[in-house]
Amino acid sequence: MKWFPTVMMKQKMNLMTRVLLLNQNKIESTRKQRRTGSQSEKNNAIKTYKYNAFTFLPMNLFEQFKRAANFYFLVLLILQAIPQISTLAWYTTLFPLLLVLGITAIKDLVDDVARHKMDREINNRTCEVIKDGRFKVAKWKDIQVGDVIRLRKNDFVPADILLLSSSEPNSLCYVETAELDGETNLKFKMSLEITDQYLQREDALAAFDGFIECEEPNNRLDKFTGILSWRKTRFPLDADKILLRGCVIRNTDFCHGLVIFAGADTKIMKNSGKTRFKRTKIDYLMNYMVYTIIVVLILLSAGLAIGHAYWEAQVGNYSWYLYDGEDATPSLRGFFNFWGYIIVLNTMVPISLYVSVEVIRLGQSHFINWDLQMYYAEKDTPAKARTTTLNEQLGQIHYIFSDKTGTLTQNIMTFKKCCINGQIYGDHRDASQHNHNKIEQVDFSWNTYADGKFAFYDHYLIEQIQSGKEPEVRQFFFLLAVCHTVMVDRIDGHLNYQAASPDEGALVNAARNFGFAFLARTQNTITISELGTERTYNVLAILDFNSDRKRMSIIVRTPEGNIKLYCKGADTVIYERLHRMNPTKQETQDALDVFANETLRTLCLCYKEIEEKEFAEWNKKFMAASVASTNRDEALDKVYEEIEKDLILLGATAIEDKLQDGVPETISKLAKADIKIWVLTGDKKETAENIGFACELLTEDTTICYGEDINSLLHTRMENQRNRGGVYAKFVPPVQEPFFPSGGNRALIITGSWLNEILLEKKTKRSKILKLKFPRTEEERRMRTQSKRRLEAKKEQRQKNFVDLACECSAVICCRVTPKQKAMVVDLVKKYKKAITLAIGDGANDVNMIKTAHIGVGISGQEGMQAVMSSDYSFAQFRYLQRLLLVHGRWSYIRMCKFLRYFFYKNFAFTLVHFWYSFFNGYSAQTAYEDWFITLYNVLYSSLPVLLMGLLDQDVSDKLSLRFPGLYVVGQRDLLFNYKRFFVSLLHGVLTSMILFFIPLGAYLQTVGQDGEAPSDYQSFAVTMASALVITVNFQIGLDTSYWTFVNAFSIFGSIALYFGIMFDFHSAGIHVLFPSAFQFTGTASNALRQPYIWLTIILTVAVCLLPVVAIRFLSMTIWPSESDKIQKHRKRLKAEEQWQRRQQVFRRGVSSRRSAYAFSHQRGYADLISSGRSIRKKRSPLDAIVADGTAEYRRTGDS
């Protein structure tokens, strides 16, 4: 048979289909029977890098020159090469520009090389693909849609594939989806029965000629719709038959699959969202300030150019000694001088600003990487700053959007307590029922099936089980061992359970440790070890769980011939079905309140004995419902209701969905820092609410609002806004009314379906009725356009109202939300609140949210690496978030703000001296300093102290930062760097420049030195101003420094010493002999600085610049101290750290209406699979045997 597998993808909306003919290696597109041409071949390679060896230099330079400052300095460099307009040497701009471009290019290169390495590692992974009728090893990047591939145990799935067959009975395949959803419990996939029967052998797979029609590539992880046409029959395909890229094959020796979606079309890649270039709020502000400085620069240059033209007309043209041989008009000279002043004053826009910012951010990123207090030793996972551009924004966060599973919780369920026959077990008690403070773990060595990992501390429960005094205790754990859909296999002689949900696995494992171990099952039996005695029970029916029933039951026949029903489920549904004569009903209810108050997940257990006649009658109805052709699920649920009544209550279990260490403490501290936390999870509402209480987002005093409450509130608000929106609405300012009365603690819990309805995001179904289209008139088009605009305006107003309402709540929990909805919620807060957002998650379903937020944080560990790869920062535990924000974030923000304020100040003080000098040199664009001083001022003389302040400064210690989270609000409110602060720095620089110019000018007027000569020459004047400037700006950084180290002190005094050392070298006769045109200040420093009068002038200038600053600082710290000033003042008294303590819960019997819900699987359990018997078969021969001799047995249909 010719190998001709075909895959066709059909998009129903536009009738576009994609057909892959594998043997022709060609993808073709058709539109409704009309061929429109071919597309490029689709392969499985992914590409995240930006450059290659040929494009790096041009593309990187192009991107860098898109930055306004870099382009500005490139233009300046060109202007400086024109001798008619430049009074500054070209190298004064070239060297700093090359330094900036080089450092940025190296950083971009390192980042892109890492992306290349990661892409190569993934694309060069291998798997087996059928080529020329045989399985051959191929790289992931070479896989194409339509390929048949083989995967082995622990392999990653390379593409979205249709499961055809596997080594397991019934072609089951167990997968771990941690990369997709963060859940570590195994899920199973099952192939079509037809492919399981016929597609086991290599030659059969090679000859497979099926035709698949399916949905277009999309981002819905839990949905798939398609049809397989094969052997003249059409078979429906759903998500249970699809293995998604990113999953890992577990407990399955091998499986075969057909590639449906590859590369960028896979669902995990579709969920990754667009990679957004993230920039900080300070970046945007800094750019606007640079634009402001450029405008000021142009205005100053224009004013001075006009002054020069006027001076030339009035003085220059009539002074014969000023004739330079050029017969240019005053206007032309003024025009040239305009460009000359643009060059002279260019240091108002400091080119070194950007490279300094990059260096500081790089250093701060390394400090995060090196922080041992954010290192998780258990997994050997350090914190990692994956970007170097967002550090200071960590100090400005308003909202945190967190995933639940694997982020707040460990996704590890632990059996903590239980209530049996009205008695609570699980406290620290000895066998005599006495409580003890000393923790002594129960010894399970008497139980051969104990796993050795289970921790329990109530010795009295063990005594009850072993003594058998209360038969209900043994029956309780027997129920846990028998009533479930867990599957079991043995690995190296040890029991290994596969559960549809981690909760169910925890209960079966608890029963195993207490002596009731589930050993094996067949289609009709289940084997239990009861305190060492193996007993086999006939399974008569499994009444499986679904989200409406909220319970599951099993009917078994005991070896003695009795028929019993065992049931477990949520207390709300179990209590409705109990027999009215249950003596322990109230005691169990009280225990449920206790467990709920401790935020444990609860589950009620009950049973009943069934008469043979009653069961026989019910079984007839059950069998009839099982084969119903329509509404089968509804028919089964109705039959289940008939038997699940008059139940006898045994007790309740309490499971802890274990939080990660330090989660409540972290949330408490972040809340005190005025950071609001929203939990966005795909889990169900009860589970999400339970975790909200466990991590103390919610308390007993919290008023919880649900979707229906919010919908009515928003509807009322929309009606009120519509009523107010009359003719005069635009003349009346909008009134922002609160949704809730002031006071009280409120939280919002909303599901994904309610979210869509509230935000008007529901998709309208297209009408299937054929509509005749007639040309619309202009009026109809206009009306249609207006209608669309009204709908958009309504939607926008509704979304804004929702965000306003949600932001009034202290906590928001969105459950059952898709990855797209997570990103949408983040985007709404960004859009309508203009707030800085942070998203934190651990799975592929969090990637879109992480990329949408201003800052994305990935939790690395057992839940996969998809979130980490898309994040800006990563670490192993949620608790490290408080240190990332309250310590590193706050310090980074304070350091960057201080750095920028000081940088603008020192450059204004340096540059505007030229402006004052212009009034005394005919506005001739003559520089006030030596050219080499201008070149080295920002590079050597004033760079190191401010860089070290930007890297090392801290107002309070890390411990005090964590102890007083209120210090964080300065970043949220932009108090340390804004336009007001910018203009204060500008004014400070202007005043300093005036002092630096006019005090030496006054001192030099009519002055005679010790040798009788006048020292008032231009070069000595330039040296005096430069010396005073360097000393002033370096001492000013000392005043701004809060955290002194030897390095800071050395950099300040070292910069001053370096200035004098270089100046004396550059003013020496030796260097002038070597480069006479470049070094013209020969002997100036030695001649000027040997005069005491000059030193007194420098000292006076520095004192006048700094003493007012010292006085203002003293007054402000004394009269108007900030929070950090107060803490600094009392830091010795505060040195003894106060340990955080959990909030004490007050239990009020019978008051709590909240009930912790047991989390069954999100999907139906394995009951159908167990009942069908498809999973209970002899395991196939190993893969090697199938390949070697082709003699493996596989089931065929009787007719074939």
Side-chain angles (χ1 to χ4, degrees), residues 1066-1086:
F1066 281 4
H1067 293 186
S1068 66
I1071 200 167
H1072 174 73
V1073 171
L1074 295 174
F1075 308 100
S1077 60
F1079 299 92
Q1080 300 176 351
F1081 275 50
T1082 308
T1084 303
S1086 55

Side-chain angles (χ1 to χ4, degrees), residues 478-635:
F478 171 77
L479 189 155
L480 292 181
V482 76
C483 183
H484 55 78
T485 57
V486 172
M487 293 184 176
V488 62
D489 59 4
R490 290 178 182 266
I491 301 176
D492 299 328
H494 298 286
L495 296 176
N496 183 42
Y497 294 145
Q498 302 297 336
S501 76
D503 304 64
E504 193 162 62
L507 291 176
V508 176
N509 193 59
R512 163 191 178 177
N513 283 280
F514 284 114
F516 292 80
F518 162 52
L519 300 181
R521 76 186 330 145
T522 67
Q523 181 179 356
N524 300 315
T525 66
I526 184 168
T527 302
I528 308 293
S529 170
E530 302 175 24
L531 298 175
T533 304
E534 288 192 17
R535 288 166 61 91
T536 299
Y537 297 80
N538 291 326
V539 178
L540 303 179
I542 296 178
L543 287 56
D544 201 7
F545 164 86
N546 65 37
S547 56
D548 295 324
R549 283 169 42 76
K550 297 182 180 178
R551 65 192 183 278
M552 79 154 290
S553 301
I554 186 170
I555 302 175
V556 298
R557 187 187 299 275
T558 68
E560 293 78 18
N562 299 323
I563 299 175
K564 289 188 177 183
L565 178 145
Y566 295 97
C567 179
K568 65 182 181 184
D571 59 307
T572 51
V573 295
I574 294 296
Y575 266 63
E576 294 171 358
R577 291 160 178 79
L578 293 179
H579 193 280
R580 65 178 181 274
M581 297 299 292
N582 266 284
T584 61
K585 188 174 180 180
Q586 184 58 48
E587 289 85 349
T588 306
Q589 177 107 15
D590 294 340
L592 287 168
D593 287 336
V594 172
F595 297 155
N597 195 61
E598 296 174 6
T599 68
L600 300 174
R601 299 153 75 101
T602 59
L603 181 71
C604 285
L605 309 185
C606 52
Y607 74 99
K608 70 179 286 189
E609 295 189 3
I610 304 174
E611 296 292 333
E612 191 75 41
K613 182 180 178 181
E614 180 187 358
F615 175 75
E617 292 176 357
W618 178 84
N619 195 44
K620 291 178 183 178
K621 298 177 184 178
F622 173 65
M623 297 306 295
S626 298
V627 295
S629 56
T630 58
N631 299 325
R632 177 175 173 269
D633 289 343
E634 290 81 358

Side-chain angles (χ1 to χ4, degrees), residues 362-479:
L362 183 64
Q364 290 169 346
S365 298
H366 282 299
F367 291 151
I368 293 173
N369 297 344
W370 296 335
D371 192 342
L372 292 178
Q373 294 189 53
M374 297 171 68
Y375 170 72
Y376 190 52
E378 187 176 323
K379 298 283 186 180
D380 189 26
T381 306
K384 176 70 175 175
R386 300 176 55 82
T387 180
T388 59
T389 59
L390 302 174
N391 297 322
E392 67 271 13
Q393 191 129 294
L394 289 169
Q396 298 181 282
I397 303 298
H398 292 86
Y399 291 88
I400 292 175
F401 300 89
S402 174
D403 178 41
K404 180 191 76 69
T405 306
T407 303
L408 297 177
T409 68
Q410 298 180 25
N411 201 24
I412 298 173
M413 306 302 169
T414 308
F415 184 90
K416 297 295 286 186
K417 293 185 177 182
C418 60
C419 173
I420 306 173
N421 205 24
Q423 173 74 41
I424 294 179
Y425 299 92
D427 296 324
H428 299 154
R429 294 188 296 185
D430 60 20
S432 302
Q433 206 175 352
H434 295 112
N435 290 337
H436 287 279
N437 293 326
K438 184 180 179 182
I439 299 175
E440 294 181 2
Q441 191 168 318
V442 170
D443 181 13
F444 289 103
S445 59
W446 56 270
N447 182 3
T448 57
Y449 291 107
D451 62 1
K453 302 174 184 176
F454 184 68
F456 201 72
Y457 302 94
D458 194 341
H459 295 257
Y460 182 61
L461 178 57
I462 305 301
E463 171 66 21
Q464 289 289 82
I465 292 173
Q466 292 177 335
S467 67
K469 294 177 182 178
E470 291 192 29
E472 290 85 2
V473 175
R474 291 188 176 183
Q475 194 163 12
F476 180 92
F477 288 104
F478 171 77
L479 189 155

